[in-house]
Amino acid sequence: ESAAVFETGEGRVEEPVDTVVLAIGMKPNAGLMSALAEAGVEATAIGDAAGVGRVAEAVASGFRAARSA
C-alpha cells in the first residue's frame, strides 16, 4: 500500500493514497500531459495547467475533474 506522509500541527500524519500530484513551480508542464497521453493514461489538466486563473477557479476545476472521473 502507498501512503503520503506529512506534518501537521498535531504531528506526523500518514494517509493511504493511490496517486500524489505535486503542484510546484510557476509554469504549467505541458510535456507531462503529452507524455501521459502517449502512455495511454487518461488525464485532465486542471488549475493553471489548463489556463492561468484564480485559486477558487483552480479548485473548482479539480473538483469537476474528480467528479467526472
Side-chain angles (χ1 to χ4, degrees):
E1 245 180 77
S2 298
V5 179
F6 50 94
E7 296 287 330
T8 71
E10 298 175 5
R12 186 175 185 212
V13 177
E14 190 170 318
E15 290 288 334
V17 297
D18 293 322
T19 304
V20 174
V21 177
L22 299 178
I24 57 176
M26 299 300 288
K27 294 191 255 181
N29 181 351
L32 176 59
M33 288 299 292
S34 297
L36 291 171
E38 287 175 20
V41 176
E42 185 178 335
T44 302
I46 61 170
D48 283 356
V52 177
R54 300 184 185 277
V55 171
E57 295 162 347
V59 171
S61 71
F63 176 79
R64 286 190 302 272
R67 296 286 293 175
S68 69

